[in-house]
Amino acid sequence: MTSMTETVPWEGAWEEGGPLGVPLVDLLDRVLGTGVVVSGDLVIAIAEVPLVRVSLHALLSSVNERVPAPWADGGPL
Amino acid sequence: MTAAPCTTDASTVTDACSATDACTATYIFAVCRGGDPAALEGLAGHAEGAHVRLLPVGSFTAVVQDVPADRFSEEAVRERLSDGAELERCARTHHAVVCAAARCAPTVPLPLATLYLGDERARTALARREQRLHAALDRIEGRAEWSVKAYAVPGRPDAPGPAGRTGGTSAPAAPAAPSSAGSGAGRAYLERVRSRKQARDHRQETALRAAERVDTALRDLAVAARRLRLHGPGPDGDRRTQVLNAAYLVAEGRESELAAAVGRLRQQAEADGVRIEVSGPWVPYSFVDGGDTDDLDD
């Protein structure tokens, strides 16, 4: 029987404030485009598709090909 | 025509900087209501800033950090966030503070890189949105966000087409007869191409229908639901096609129901060539805006 915990790699990290295990793509979905938009003196239009896509590609390829994952436990990716 | 001077927010920041002795901007992570956020003071936050501190704004407490304005000008932020490692560091730092805040009090996370030229401006902006912030806090209090994604598992390249299903047309996958090598081989090739395309279309339709079933079932458990933008294929060899990227706002205490539902849906989806992935609980980032949320409550 498949349990949900198999795909919640960071369960338990919640209490320790250890967001390192959070799936990065899911995190970016959330911190970039959403939240209450409060117009700041400086609000960056980073939710636009092209930049996010480019950044994600740069990020994923750097994690997977060039450098070891920057977190200790091997990471979720 | 003379070259127009480039007036940007970045230059605004710089101007404001030269006018004050401290070149700092106020970076807001989140806004809390009630609770006991005192424990947040002194968190490290972004490496180039001072410690995280609390900024009272009316009935709220904003979780903020003084950061060097030049490191957070529009240009600087854009550049940093285009760098994969830097983007990850910023996002994880932001998220760490947001999570810490959410453990202390009901919390509305603000998007990455929400900055103001000083506390007063930050206060003014937040005060202007007091109603919306209250509405957001009312919506998310006692609830958590769960991320559910579904992927169509790629078919094997040599998988047989749906010839049996489509009936009618013959499927001459066998080698062409020697006597008609030219046109026979050509037709066989076209048939193979067509049958592969049909198989692909069929898999895709099946996967999309499966995704809709998953979404419908999970909405029953959720207070609100939101479909996020689908991810394209990654550059890391992940050839799966994402068919669902959704967020569900679920009352605390119903996690086991969610887990059970996902378990059932998974078995069904597996048969349709679809894999379901879940992560959570998240601070309800996707449900504080009020804009695109489909409220299922009323």
Side-chain angles (χ1 to χ4, degrees):
Chain A
M1 191 71 195
T2 332
S3 80
M4 193 155 68
T5 50
E6 276 178 40
T7 47
V8 187
W10 51 291
E11 197 175 65
W14 183 255
E15 288 310 318
E16 283 125 48
L20 285 185
V22 169
L24 183 62
V25 179
D26 294 354
L27 176 61
L28 293 178
D29 265 350
R30 286 163 177 80
V31 299
L32 290 180
T34 61
V36 167
V37 177
V38 177
S39 54
D41 292 304
L42 175 62
V43 169
I44 314 298
I46 45 183
E48 289 307 312
V49 186
L51 179 56
V52 174
R53 194 188 299 138
V54 165
S55 304
L56 269 179
H57 281 201
L59 172 65
L60 292 176
S61 57
S62 74
V63 166
N64 291 320
E65 290 158 23
R66 291 203 298 277
V67 294
W71 45 86
D73 63 356
L77 290 175
Chain B
M1 226 181 115
T2 56
C6 187
T7 325
T8 62
D9 284 339
S11 66
T12 314
V13 170
T14 319
D15 291 349
C17 258
S18 53
T20 59
D21 352 344
C23 292
T24 59
T26 304
Y27 182 111
I28 311 187
F29 293 93
V31 175
C32 304
R33 181 174 68 188
D36 181 19
L40 301 173
E41 275 181 302
L43 285 179
H46 291 289
E48 49 282 273
H51 288 318
V52 171
R53 65 189 170 86
L54 301 176
L55 176 69
V57 184
S59 44
F60 304 114
T61 306
V63 183
V64 306
Q65 181 181 15
D66 291 325
V67 294
D70 60 338
R71 290 284 290 142
F72 284 84
S73 70
E74 177 166 9
E75 204 181 330
V77 170
R78 197 173 278 284
E79 195 175 305
R80 291 171 65 186
L81 299 190
S82 302
D83 174 310
E86 189 69 8
L87 171 67
E88 175 166 12
R89 214 163 54 80
C90 286
R92 291 195 186 282
T93 300
H94 184 85
H95 185 58
V97 175
V98 165
C99 283
R103 281 194 295 271
C104 302
T107 295
V108 167
L110 295 193
L112 193 65
T114 304
L115 290 144
Y116 291 89
L117 298 172
D119 286 1
E120 267 328 296
R121 295 207 193 208
R123 264 206 197 93
T124 309
L126 293 178
R128 263 209 310 273
R129 277 154 185 88
E130 192 174 358
Q131 299 280 359
R132 281 181 62 194
L133 289 167
H134 273 301
L137 283 158
D138 291 342
R139 188 182 311 121
I140 64 174
E141 193 166 357
R143 293 160 175 170
E145 173 175 339
W146 290 84
S147 154
V148 177
K149 296 176 293 182
Y151 295 90
V153 179
R156 295 185 304 278
D158 57 341
R165 184 180 60 90
T166 48
T169 52
S170 60
S179 60
S180 60
S183 67
R187 187 184 304 159
Y189 169 76
L190 289 176
E191 285 289 346
R192 275 203 305 277
V193 168
R194 185 157 60 204
S195 127
R196 264 205 301 270
K197 183 181 175 339
Q198 280 175 347
R200 200 168 50 230
D201 290 350
H202 177 63
R203 272 200 306 271
Q204 195 168 2
E205 281 166 32
T206 308
L208 287 170
R209 272 201 303 274
E212 291 308 317
R213 271 200 303 276
V214 169
D215 185 48
T216 305
L218 295 181
R219 276 169 188 256
D220 279 346
L221 276 168
V223 177
R226 224 181 124 179
R227 300 283 281 260
L228 309 179
R229 187 185 294 122
L230 293 175
H231 298 154
D236 52 349
D238 183 353
R239 303 307 306 162
R240 303 177 304 170
T241 305
Q242 191 174 67
V243 288
L244 177 71
N245 185 15
Y248 301 94
L249 187 65
V250 177
E252 279 163 16
R254 297 194 72 179
E255 296 83 2
S256 55
E257 284 175 72
L258 181 72
V262 168
R264 281 193 301 274
L265 290 164
R266 232 178 223 150
Q267 287 186 326
Q268 200 181 357
E270 211 65 58
D272 288 330
V274 169
R275 250 198 86 73
I276 300 175
E277 291 182 0
V278 181
S279 72
W282 288 88
V283 178
Y285 282 97
S286 306
F287 297 97
V288 293
D289 199 2
D292 302 337
T293 305
D294 314 326
D295 253 309
L296 305 174
D297 244 0
D298 18 53

